[in-house]
């Protein structure tokens, strides 16, 4: 919940051989740095009864945003996919630029907060959403829950 995962060698978040796992309100950017990794920004492999909601998955060029294999009752919904492929798309998932303030792999300049007009603002689900964001701001700071690890503060 509320993780910021960027520029990792493998996937940003991995659900592997797990049951009853929830993956909520994470921002994943340009992971899979290793030339032998192709497991997406969020991967779910051999899982049962898992839910991935309100995440931002911004992939490297020509890399998967999502990896999904041999799962039972694993649900992806209310996520935003950008710049990569995905296997499972929930009815409320969006394929769009999440409009992050300064998405970069340089930690000195990186800013993964949402810009005004981001499709992530107020478009997430409150189901299982945390009460606070990554910076401990109240999670509902508008008409709805934001997708990703940061709540938009106008």
């Amino acid at each position: 919940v509320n993780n910021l995962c960027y520029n990792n060698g493998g996937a940003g978040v991995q659900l592997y051989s797990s049951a009853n796992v929830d993956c909520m309100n994470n921002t994943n950017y340009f992971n899979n740095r290793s030339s032998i990794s192709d497991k997406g920004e969020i991967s779910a492999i051999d899982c049962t009864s898992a839910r991935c909601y309100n995440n931002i998955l911004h992939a490297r060029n020509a890399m998967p945003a999502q990896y999904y294999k041999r799962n039972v009752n694993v649900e992806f919904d209310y996520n935003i996919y950008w710049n990569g492929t995905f296997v499972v798309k929930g009815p409320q998932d969006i394929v769009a630029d999440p409009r992050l303030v300064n998405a970069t792999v340089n930690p000195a300049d990186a800013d993964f907060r949402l810009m005004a007009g981001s499709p992530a603002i107020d478009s997430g689900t409150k189901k299982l959403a945390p009460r606070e964001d990554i910076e401990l701001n109240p999670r509902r700071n508008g008409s709805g829950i934001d997708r990703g690890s940061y709540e938009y503060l106008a």
Side-chain angles (χ1 to χ4, degrees):
V1 173
N2 288 335
N3 293 293
L4 170 60
C5 305
Y6 70 102
N7 204 32
N8 288 292
V13 175
Q14 287 190 323
L15 286 64
Y16 179 72
S17 194
S18 301
N20 305 313
V21 176
D22 297 321
C23 175
M24 316 300 295
N25 288 90
N26 299 293
T27 298
N28 297 275
Y29 177 80
F30 268 38
N31 291 292
N32 294 292
R33 215 172 56 177
S34 170
S35 62
I36 60 170
S37 179
D38 64 350
K39 298 300 187 264
E41 296 300 311
I42 296 180
S43 69
I45 305 167
D46 295 325
C47 294
T48 304
S49 299
R51 295 169 289 196
C52 295
Y53 299 157
N54 295 344
N55 299 292
I56 294 174
L57 298 85
H58 189 292
R60 290 180 180 272
N61 294 334
M63 294 299 287
Q66 173 202 76
Y67 190 85
Y68 187 96
K69 201 163 210 155
R70 297 183 306 271
N71 296 304
V72 176
N73 194 31
V74 173
E75 181 181 5
F76 278 76
D77 206 4
Y78 291 91
N79 301 297
I80 295 180
Y81 301 99
W82 188 240
N83 202 38
T85 59
F86 49 90
V87 179
V88 177
K89 183 176 180 280
Q92 303 304 318
D93 282 348
I94 298 172
V95 179
D97 182 347
R99 299 198 49 174
L100 304 173
V101 171
N102 190 28
T104 178
V105 296
N106 180 347
D109 299 327
D111 187 343
F112 295 96
R113 291 175 295 140
L114 304 172
M115 292 190 329
S118 169
I121 297 172
D122 296 335
S123 65
T125 180
K126 63 182 180 180
K127 182 178 180 181
L128 302 174
R131 292 180 187 197
E132 298 171 328
D133 75 357
I134 192 171
E135 293 182 329
L136 304 180
N137 296 306
R139 184 42 83 172
R140 190 173 187 138
N141 187 48
S143 63
I145 301 295
D146 295 349
R147 303 180 196 207
S149 55
Y150 291 92
E151 186 72 10
Y152 178 71
L153 304 174

